[in-house]
Amino acid sequence: MSDHLYFMREAYQEALKAFEMGETPIGCVIVYHDNIIGRACNMRNTAKNVLYHAEISAINQACGVVGDWRLEGCRLYVTLEPCAMCAGAIVQARMDEVVFGARNPKAGCAGSVLDLLSEPRFNHQPRVVGGVMEEECSRLMSGFFKRFRT
């Protein structure tokens, strides 16, 4: 669990970057042999591109480091439960493990709305650990959306 906390803190730092840019505060890091090989924050609005989720950008970076589309042996840490697009990319990349912070009751696909990461009909299912730094990650998201309600 201490490794999970260390790397989730790194993902949280990425989420803070997104927050400071006015983006939905989601951050992600990808770890291989205890080294971060991909890191990104959500940049959908800045890039004006739906594909710029933190997970997709970090996966793209990690694939460049590894030199392959397969990210076997990798763990992905993300501050918010992955959506359908990101869960699909995680399964396709064959990552070993996904660790997330806050649940996403409106779009989460690691158990909240759907459970794509554990779907037995897919050829790969990563281990999933949820709720790491859940309170901090939830508070950051709530603080971001509170800006629009006041």
Side-chain angles (χ1 to χ4, degrees), residues 37-56:
I37 62 167
R39 66 169 62 235
C41 64
N42 184 45
M43 300 228 356
R44 265 188 331 183
N45 293 321
T46 302
K48 305 288 188 246
N49 189 324
V50 71
L51 299 175
Y52 278 73
H53 285 211
E55 298 97 309
I56 299 297

Side-chain angles (χ1 to χ4, degrees), residues 91-145:
V91 169
Q92 290 296 312
R94 295 183 172 93
M95 282 194 224
D96 286 5
E97 187 170 30
V98 174
V99 181
F100 68 87
R103 291 224 168 260
N104 185 349
K106 294 185 178 183
C109 288
S112 289
V113 174
L114 297 172
D115 197 354
L116 295 178
L117 296 179
S118 298
E119 174 53 54
R121 293 173 289 183
F122 288 147
N123 67 336
H124 177 75
Q125 299 84 34
R127 288 183 307 278
V128 177
V129 177
V132 176
M133 288 182 56
E134 183 171 17
E135 187 175 315
E136 296 94 324
C137 294
S138 293
R139 194 170 34 245
L140 184 60
M141 291 293 286
S142 296
F144 176 76
F145 287 110

Side-chain angles (χ1 to χ4, degrees), residues 3 5 8 13 22 32-33 36 41-42 59 64 71 76 83 87 90 93 126 130 137 146:
D3 277 354
L5 286 173
M8 186 58 79
Q13 290 304 309
Y32 182 68
H33 292 298
I36 295 173
C41 64
N42 184 45
I59 287 169
L71 294 177
L76 181 142
C83 70
I90 290 163
C137 294
K146 198 176 284 188

